[in-house]
Amino acid sequence: MELLNKGKAKSVYKGEADLIIEFRDDLTAGDGAKHATMEGKGALNAEISARFFELLDEAGMETHFLGYEKPNRHLAKEVKIIPLEVICRNIAAGSILRRYPFEEGQEFTPPLVEFGFKSDEYHDPMLNDEVAIALGAVKDRGELNRMREMTLRVNDILRGFLAERGVILVDFKLEFGWDRDGNLLLADEVSPDTCRFWDAETKEVMDKDRFRRDMGDVLEYYREIRRRVYGD
Ligand code: UDP
């Protein structure tokens, strides 16, 4: 298979008609400064992410997702990735606490949407609409607004689904891309690597923060997220 791109946690290959995305066992934090390999992490993320993409598809959202192949692959439509990270926050945690005087755990009503520029070299800086347009990441404000709307829709769908399963969706990161016909599609992944999940009762951390903050039992919690998402 022809390798098109090897990212920090996923490899993208050219399939017969579409793309094959392989979820690897690599975990990174701090723009790649910290790295580990955990056997089975890729399969867990592929399975969890597949369930979320299915839910979003069922709700009529346009995504790149075409199917899940056990244990660790997605089939996906080819898109040109927009070099922005779209972050949605329901609860204050992580980098926003280092930038503004919010208290950890405080709720954002309505949820916040922030854009970051995808760049390890520049450490994914937050940007406003003018900077995103000047960088050529998007054509105009309309494109940013469509991403904002889709992100809030993803938030509504996933937040409700997870709440029924005893999981708080604290925040998450999305990526979008353009397909050949000019449609804006949700791409990338939605997994414990790219979301913050807290147990609704105990407030335990159930996501990649366990790795970032050396809390231990990373895969045990990813497995628990998989179990709750699939209800088995
Ligand atoms: N996130 C991500 N990739 C990034 C940066 C952030 O998937 O390069 C996710 C992260 O897992 C969290 C949300 O986006 O769910 C918000 O992350 P934050 O800005 O708080 O940054 P961090 O604390 O991870 O540096």
Side-chain angles (χ1 to χ4, degrees), residues 181-196:
D181 305 319
N183 300 308
L184 182 64
L185 305 186
L186 176 67
D188 196 49
E189 68 178 288
V190 182
S191 76
D193 274 10
T194 62
C195 304
R196 285 195 169 91

Side-chain angles (χ1 to χ4, degrees), residues 22-213:
E22 181 189 68
F23 288 67
R24 304 197 315 271
D25 289 341
D26 299 282
L27 267 161
T28 65
D31 301 322
K34 181 169 170 180
H35 176 260
T37 309
M38 295 188 190
E39 200 182 331
K41 196 273 293 186
L44 283 165
N45 272 4
E47 203 174 355
I48 293 165
S49 191
R51 185 71 191 104
F52 290 146
F53 271 101
E54 280 164 10
L55 265 179
L56 298 172
D57 281 339
E58 282 161 21
M61 292 202 68
E62 296 219 85
T63 80
H64 76 157
F65 182 75
L66 294 171
Y68 168 53
E69 281 186 353
K70 275 179 183 288
N72 69 333
R73 285 180 177 178
H74 284 191
L75 297 181
K77 289 181 201 159
E78 187 161 6
V79 295
K80 190 169 179 294
I81 290 283
I82 296 167
L84 297 176
E85 299 191 324
V86 190
I87 290 172
C88 181
R89 302 179 188 273
N90 295 306
I91 291 176
S95 74
I96 200 162
L97 303 175
R98 298 190 289 272
R99 286 184 279 125
Y100 310 104
F102 293 120
E103 304 229 353
E104 180 164 35
Q106 94 176 62
E107 266 189 55
F108 296 122
T109 316
L112 305 186
V113 176
E114 295 183 292
F115 288 94
F117 178 51
K118 249 170 80 83
S119 163
D120 283 345
E121 186 185 351
Y122 291 91
H123 307 291
D124 301 341
M126 290 296 140
L127 37 63
N128 66 16
D129 290 16
E130 285 87 344
V131 177
I133 295 163
L135 281 168
V138 288
K139 191 169 76 240
D140 54 32
R141 276 211 171 79
E143 293 185 354
L144 294 166
N145 286 336
R146 284 172 63 197
M147 282 190 264
R148 280 192 181 96
E149 280 162 25
M150 284 173 77
T151 299
L152 290 170
R153 182 110 198 277
V154 169
N155 188 43
D156 279 343
I157 295 164
L158 297 188
R159 199 179 180 182
F161 175 83
L162 287 161
E164 287 167 8
R165 287 154 182 81
V167 177
I168 299 171
L169 179 59
V170 174
D171 59 30
F172 57 93
K173 182 261 311 183
L174 300 179
E175 294 186 24
F176 293 86
W178 300 105
D179 74 5
R180 274 185 219 100
D181 305 319
N183 300 308
L184 182 64
L185 305 186
L186 176 67
D188 196 49
E189 68 178 288
V190 182
S191 76
D193 274 10
T194 62
C195 304
R196 285 195 169 91
F197 298 129
W198 292 352
D199 183 278
E201 266 183 28
T202 63
K203 305 289 187 301
E204 269 173 304
V205 170
M206 309 179 77
D207 57 66
K208 198 168 93 171
D209 269 350
R210 300 203 71 87
F211 173 69
R212 293 190 189 97
R213 293 158 56 186

Side-chain angles (χ1 to χ4, degrees), residues 1-5 11-15 19-20:
M1 286 190 303
E2 186 196 343
L3 178 68
L4 296 181
N5 180 57
S11 299
V12 180
Y13 297 91
K14 199 158 183 62
L19 300 181
I20 296 163

